[in-house]
Amino acid sequence: MLRDELRWVRHRWLAVLIPAPVAAMAAWALVADGKVGWTVVAGAVAAVVGAFAPTVVERARVVREGRERRNRVAAGALVADLPESVAWLLHPQAAVVGFVGRGWLLALLDRWCADPDAMAVRLLVGAGGVGKTRLARHFADRLTGWQWWAVAPGGEASVAGQLEAGDRPGRLLLTVDYAEARDPAALAHLLCVAQRSGGVRVLLQARSAGLWWSSLSAAYPAQAHLVDALTVSGNVIEVPARIEDHAPQQIVSGAVVAFAARLHRRPLDEVPVDGAESDVPVLRLHARALLAVLGGPQGDGRHDVLAEVLGHEGRYWRHRARRDGLPGAGEATADAVLRRLVGVAALLGADNRAQAMDLVRRVPGLSGAPPEAVDRYVGWLCGLYPPVAKGGGLGTLQPDLLAEDLAVAVLRECTPADRVRMLRGLAPNQALQALTVLNRACTHQPEAVEMIDVALAADLPVMTEAVLQIGLQFPGMLASRVATLLATAELDLGWAQRTVRRVPYPSIEFGRIALVLTTHALRASTATMPSDRAALLAWHALRLAEAGRPAEALAASQEAVDLRRELVAGDRDAHLPDLAMSVGNHAVRLAKVGRRAEALTVSGEAVGLRRELVVGDRDAHLPDLAMSVGNHAAMLAEAGRRAEALTMSEEAVDLHRELAANNRDAHLPNLAMSVNNHAAMLAEAGRRAEALTMSEEAVDLYRELTAGNRDAHLPDLVMSVGNHAVRLADVGRRAEALAASQEAVDLYRELAANNRDAHLPNLAMSVNNHAAMLAEAGRRAEALIASEEAVELRRYLVAGNRDAYLSNLAGSVNNHALRLAEAGRRAEALSASQEAVDLYRELATNNRDAHLPDLARSLWTLGYVARILGETSEQILAAAAEGVRYFEELAASEPQAFAGRRDAAASTLISLQNSTTGQHPQLARPTSPGADEAAPDIVSLETLDS
């Protein structure tokens, strides 16, 4: 303060002393010239003014302009160019705004790291912009006693190698951003290494935990069991948009202060956030705060905050363009070119300089640019957003939501021809990035869906291969669109044949793509080698069966068998394995369309061929023998040869246990199938306690498998749960049986909603069995509704394929007759019961061994229904007597299975015969066809043709 006062006094004295000599000199000159009085005084004053007026005026102007400049800055007025990327201020790495909230998530992660018994993996999921990356970085920074490595894209194998070599600090946290976009095999390997290392935690971040997560084990079969254990839903943590205890207004106000300090501006007193709900992603709230500091619209309904941020970012592009000497830098048309260039770079990316130069030429307005201009644009792009990794690739606009918005906007503004030219002939990495960016943008840019269709159609082969890599990240979005386009496209035969083998099997998501490709390849392959065509037919049959088209699958399978028989006749050693494969699969096809006698013969042939191969090389052919033995056991059971079926089924289980003991991950699915089927065989043989134990084991195995790959194993889990419900009912555990049955129905409805043709038969089976469980529990009204639904579903199936589903319809109708009788609906019950008898007569005529038990049971049911409804006639008495005779025939060969039913049916007959005398012995209720139905409805997994 004292220094300031002295400076003021000094300036006042200078103001007096400096003009004094000038005035004195002017006065002396006038006196010397003979001037007197006021003339001398006026002259002195004029001299002073004349000498100092220019300096004073200039000083006043400078002061005034400085004051105006300070006022502009204070008011937040914008400068012409901003040399810094304002978009970067929103990036998590910049961390301009302090981290707030997320206390419960941080505590959850703290407990995870502190628990020595916890799994090594956690996955943070949430929509774009909710702050997953910032949360992971903040957690890593504050985690005491731990080292932190951020795993760069493509660095998973390197980090895994370091961990395996023991080259790491004591306790280590790994963070992996955009985990869903990483190479699945490399990521799965890293997770396994981290789990085995001890003292290592892996924190993944992704926008969702969908099929990519649940099927990760399929990419790493060497440790599939461990990957399945790591990728369970319990290891997923959802990051909500809302930050607890922090309202949107608080978040925006705090961010305004932070951005103003960074940009050296005076913060506004308050920024209104009208219309901002509590679930607005934090990135958008920060963007609104940044706009408030920069000036301009702030997303008031007419303006989107991200688009406005991009408008400010345009000045950064212009500044760099001027500095780098780009053609026409600063002109309006040049600004538009720069915007398109950044948008295309965000959409496609580039891994090297050659791709970057090609990218520049794809931009509308730059296709004809000379090489030196293209080179300048590439240099400008590389300097604009430097890439994270070295190697000549491009970095892109960040955060990703901004890049996605700009990419979609640039595509939308282009002409259709420019869009196609931009997206055709891309390198594989660019096709992957384009589809990834557009699919991520769909959640906040509705126009992105249209652009996905444009991208897929622009270069279908390249995009198809990209979809097979990233389609699981976006289930239901890409695969169906590609399949529709492939169905009418002109495709190269060689490409189709190569690509179909890269489609995973089985796969709910990609199965339709494979089927379209095999269909196309077969139409165009009439001149190919017989061995190649046979292999293609085998693949086609698998895909047709997967799609629920059994009759067509059978035709393709038969043709493959015929071709391979011809090949074996010429060279048995070379082609015998392929023939054995085709014969085994063909047996399954025959069984699925109801041609059971032929199926059994062909299945026996397949087992014989496999045994021949195993003698020559047990290790190579044992898995196929185990599969063939299991399938043959199921077909023997369907043919009524139950003792042989049980023996073969037990052999199959033993073979699969041997295989699983040596390689659990590879053989667990087949072991689960074999155990499930053997449980059914044991139940058929009346060994119910053993059947229940085996059934429970099968469910546990399938739950384990489904936890790791829901897409592949859910249908098998549902089947095993349904069968287990029957096993529980067999031993009288009715409450548990009903709960399991309900679970099976719910899961089958889920499957049928996505693929009605493939899963409708099993849904019908499940509903039918559930009706029986409800009836057993005394819930008769619900049982009747479910029973009626089962009949309608099976009538629909029989209308499409009578041979395959007639037996199932007969069982449902027989069950429904019982439900109607219990409800007192006399006429309908008798009519349904008679229809069931007629259907079983038709079936038994074609295959007596397989369907005689069912016919006997339906005749018993007819007598039971008539008796409880008080309906007696000669026709009904004859039918009941016929049923007893059949049970006597069956009991003679298999007394354990049929003696009890024979006696119960005879009791019903006696009651009918004595009804006129007034005697009413207690009736034994016929066994439910629903319970017996589980075994025939088992579908053995098919072996995959090599």
Side-chain angles (χ1 to χ4, degrees):
M1 181 64 70
L2 180 60
R3 185 183 297 111
D4 292 340
E5 292 178 358
L6 292 174
R7 185 183 299 113
W8 180 81
V9 171
R10 183 169 64 250
H11 289 170
R12 292 292 299 271
W13 276 106
L14 288 174
V16 173
L17 294 176
I18 291 175
V22 177
M25 291 175 64
W28 174 257
L30 291 172
V31 170
D33 197 35
K35 302 297 188 291
V36 294
W38 287 107
T39 302
V40 174
V41 176
V45 173
V48 173
V49 173
F52 287 95
T55 302
V56 173
V57 171
E58 179 64 19
R59 174 62 180 168
R61 183 183 65 79
V62 171
V63 171
R64 184 178 65 255
E65 290 181 353
R67 183 171 60 252
E68 292 174 352
R69 184 167 59 253
R70 288 193 300 273
N71 289 339
R72 286 198 303 272
V73 172
L78 297 173
V79 293
D81 290 297
L82 292 174
E84 183 181 20
S85 166
V86 295
W88 177 253
L89 299 178
L90 295 170
H91 195 269
Q93 189 172 331
V96 174
V97 182
F99 186 89
V100 298
R102 306 295 193 194
W104 69 274
L105 284 172
L106 292 170
L108 184 64
L109 294 173
D110 280 333
R111 290 194 296 272
W112 166 55
C113 285
D115 183 0
D117 298 323
M119 288 288 185
V121 178
R122 289 295 184 271
L123 171 65
L124 298 176
V125 298
V130 300
K132 300 182 297 295
T133 302
R134 187 71 191 279
L135 171 63
R137 295 177 67 89
H138 180 75
F139 173 69
D141 284 336
R142 67 189 283 278
L143 191 61
T144 57
W146 290 70
Q147 294 292 316
W148 168 37
W149 293 353
V151 182
E156 298 85 8
S158 175
V159 173
Q162 287 182 264
L163 294 179
E164 288 178 316
D167 182 15
R168 66 176 181 84
R171 291 190 295 177
L172 177 63
L173 173 68
L174 303 175
T175 59
V176 182
D177 208 355
Y178 280 119
E180 73 270 41
R182 305 298 180 103
D183 176 72
L187 180 61
H189 178 215
L190 175 61
L191 300 185
C192 291
V193 172
Q195 177 65 26
R196 293 194 302 266
S197 296
V200 177
R201 294 289 185 266
V202 185
L203 185 58
L204 309 169
Q205 299 114 65
R207 292 198 180 179
S208 65
L211 285 176
W212 76 270
W213 174 250
S214 61
S215 62
L216 194 60
S217 60
Y220 195 57
Q223 293 290 326
H225 180 65
L226 179 54
V227 177
D228 286 343
L230 294 171
T231 55
V232 295
S233 59
N235 289 343
V236 179
I237 302 172
E238 185 173 357
V239 181
R242 182 179 181 275
I243 298 178
E244 72 283 356
D245 301 328
H246 287 77
Q249 182 66 64
Q250 292 175 285
I251 296 172
V252 172
S253 298
V256 165
V257 173
F259 286 129
R262 179 63 177 267
L263 295 172
H264 307 293
R265 301 194 177 198
R266 189 181 71 184
L268 303 181
D269 294 333
E270 185 174 356
V271 178
V273 289
D274 297 337
E277 303 294 337
S278 60
D279 60 350
V280 173
V282 66
L283 175 64
R284 288 184 175 272
L285 296 175
H286 285 178
R288 181 171 291 192
L290 179 59
L291 289 173
V293 174
L294 293 173
Q298 300 167 25
D300 57 0
R302 295 171 299 163
H303 304 88
D304 181 76
V305 289
L306 299 184
E308 291 301 322
V309 170
L310 289 171
H312 288 283
E313 188 74 356
R315 287 190 298 280
Y316 168 60
W317 304 336
R318 185 188 311 125
H319 167 82
R320 296 293 298 236
R322 288 172 177 168
R323 194 200 67 175
D324 293 351
L326 293 189
E331 299 176 5
T333 54
D335 287 352
V337 170
L338 297 180
R339 181 174 180 274
R340 288 196 294 268
L341 184 54
V342 176
V344 175
L347 177 68
L348 305 181
D351 282 356
N352 51 59
R353 193 168 186 84
Q355 286 185 4
M357 295 183 72
D358 175 70
L359 181 150
V360 171
R361 293 190 177 95
R362 293 176 182 273
V363 176
L366 295 180
S367 57
E372 60 273 13
V374 171
D375 197 60
R376 283 189 178 184
Y377 279 116
V378 170
W380 176 77
L381 278 175
C382 290
L384 198 64
Y385 304 110
V388 176
K390 297 180 180 179
L394 289 181
T396 59
L397 174 67
Q398 295 291 324
D400 288 323
L401 282 186
L402 289 172
E404 293 157 16
D405 267 31
L406 181 59
V408 173
V410 166
L411 278 175
R412 185 178 60 243
E413 294 160 7
C414 290
T415 65
D418 283 337
R419 292 174 191 161
V420 172
R421 189 175 60 80
M422 190 186 302
L423 294 163
R424 179 177 292 158
L426 296 175
N429 62 291
Q430 292 177 311
L432 287 171
Q433 177 157 330
L435 291 179
T436 299
V437 168
L438 293 175
N439 274 273
R440 288 175 179 168
C442 286
T443 58
H444 53 93
Q445 286 279 73
E447 297 93 338
V449 176
E450 178 186 351
M451 301 308 160
I452 289 171
D453 292 331
V454 172
L456 294 175
D459 197 337
L460 189 54
V462 171
M463 293 298 177
T464 298
E465 295 180 25
V467 167
L468 293 177
Q469 293 188 58
I470 66 169
L472 292 182
Q473 297 178 36
F474 312 103
M477 177 60 74
L478 293 175
S480 59
R481 286 178 158 78
V482 165
T484 300
L485 292 171
L486 288 171
T488 56
E490 293 293 330
L491 303 175
D492 176 74
L493 174 59
W495 176 83
Q497 290 178 325
R498 291 190 302 273
T499 305
V500 73
R501 295 178 181 274
R502 292 200 286 269
V503 182
Y505 176 84
S507 174
I508 296 173
E509 188 69 18
F510 299 126
R512 190 177 164 209
I513 292 178
L515 184 54
V516 171
L517 289 174
T518 56
T519 301
H520 178 89
L522 282 169
R523 289 173 181 168
S525 66
T526 54
T528 58
M529 296 289 291
S531 59
D532 293 337
R533 182 169 177 81
L536 194 57
L537 282 163
W539 275 95
H540 190 53
L542 283 173
R543 296 303 185 176
L544 285 165
E546 184 180 46
R549 295 160 63 178
E552 297 166 86
L554 179 63
S557 180
Q558 182 66 66
E559 188 177 349
V561 169
D562 293 342
L563 281 174
R564 283 176 166 165
R565 289 195 195 282
E566 295 175 13
L567 290 165
V568 165
D571 189 343
R572 187 173 183 85
D573 291 339
H575 299 289
L576 187 61
D578 292 333
L579 175 60
M581 184 76 70
S582 285
V583 169
N585 283 351
H586 190 54
V588 174
R589 302 271 147 38
L590 287 164
K592 285 185 177 178
V593 299
R595 294 163 59 177
R596 294 177 176 174
E598 297 169 81
L600 187 58
T601 300
V602 175
S603 176
E605 179 188 358
V607 171
L609 294 173
R610 297 293 190 195
R611 293 195 193 280
E612 179 182 343
L613 289 165
V614 164
V615 170
D617 189 341
R618 184 174 180 84
D619 290 340
H621 298 290
L622 189 62
D624 296 326
L625 173 61
M627 183 68 71
S628 288
V629 169
N631 283 354
H632 191 53
M635 293 178 194
L636 284 166
E638 290 174 351
R641 295 161 59 177
R642 294 173 180 170
E644 298 169 81
L646 188 59
T647 301
M648 293 293 287
S649 175
E650 189 170 8
E651 179 187 358
V653 170
D654 292 341
L655 291 173
H656 283 302
R657 289 198 195 281
E658 177 184 343
L659 290 163
N662 296 322
N663 190 336
R664 183 174 178 83
D665 290 333
H667 298 290
L668 188 62
N670 290 337
L671 173 61
M673 173 205 69
S674 186
V675 169
N676 187 81
N677 284 357
H678 190 52
M681 306 295 178
L682 288 164
E684 285 292 328
R687 295 159 60 177
R688 294 180 174 179
E690 298 168 82
L692 181 62
T693 300
M694 295 293 286
S695 178
E696 188 169 10
E697 179 186 357
V699 170
D700 290 341
L701 292 173
Y702 276 126
R703 289 198 194 281
E704 179 182 340
L705 288 162
T706 302
N709 191 336
R710 187 175 178 86
D711 183 28
H713 298 294
L714 182 60
D716 300 319
L717 171 63
V718 186
M719 175 199 64
S720 68
V721 169
N723 284 352
H724 188 53
V726 175
R727 304 287 82 79
L728 287 163
D730 286 344
V731 297
R733 292 162 61 176
R734 292 177 180 174
E736 297 168 84
L738 191 58
S741 179
Q742 184 64 63
E743 179 186 0
V745 170
D746 293 341
L747 291 174
Y748 273 129
R749 290 197 195 281
E750 176 187 337
L751 289 167
N754 295 322
N755 190 337
R756 181 176 175 85
D757 291 338
H759 298 292
L760 192 63
N762 288 333
L763 173 60
M765 175 202 72
S766 187
V767 171
N768 181 81
N769 287 356
H770 190 54
M773 306 288 179
L774 288 165
E776 289 291 333
R779 294 160 62 176
R780 294 182 176 178
E782 297 169 80
L784 183 59
I785 293 171
S787 178
E788 188 170 8
E789 179 186 1
V791 170
E792 292 305 315
L793 289 172
R794 282 180 161 161
R795 289 197 195 283
Y796 175 83
L797 289 166
V798 166
N801 190 334
R802 186 173 182 86
D803 291 338
Y805 300 113
L806 188 61
S807 175
N808 302 136
L809 174 61
S812 287
V813 171
N814 200 62
N815 273 358
H816 192 49
L818 288 170
R819 307 288 88 77
L820 289 165
E822 289 163 354
R825 291 162 63 174
R826 176 191 183 108
E828 296 169 87
L830 289 170
S831 175
S833 187
Q834 185 62 58
E835 180 187 0
V837 169
D838 294 341
L839 291 173
Y840 277 126
R841 285 194 194 282
E842 179 182 340
L843 289 162
T845 300
N846 296 322
N847 189 336
R848 180 179 171 84
D849 289 340
H851 297 292
L852 186 61
D854 298 323
L855 176 58
R857 182 176 54 201
S858 68
L859 290 164
W860 174 18
T861 302
L862 176 60
Y864 177 84
V865 168
R867 181 65 189 88
I868 64 173
L869 293 175
E871 179 71 24
T872 304
S873 67
E874 290 298 325
Q875 182 180 359
I876 288 175
L877 286 170
E882 182 184 1
V884 172
R885 288 197 303 275
Y886 290 148
F887 275 126
E888 288 175 345
E889 179 183 338
L890 291 164
S893 58
E894 295 183 64
Q896 186 174 6
F898 293 105
R901 298 184 188 182
R902 176 200 59 198
D903 294 343
S907 175
T908 300
L909 176 60
I910 292 171
S911 179
L912 282 168
Q913 292 170 339
N914 294 336
S915 61
T916 57
T917 66
Q919 300 179 30
H920 302 289
Q922 185 175 2
L923 294 179
R925 188 174 179 275
T927 55
S928 170
D932 292 341
E933 211 171 273
D937 273 324
I938 292 172
V939 179
S940 300
L941 291 179
E942 299 173 27
T943 52
L944 179 62
D945 201 314
S946 59

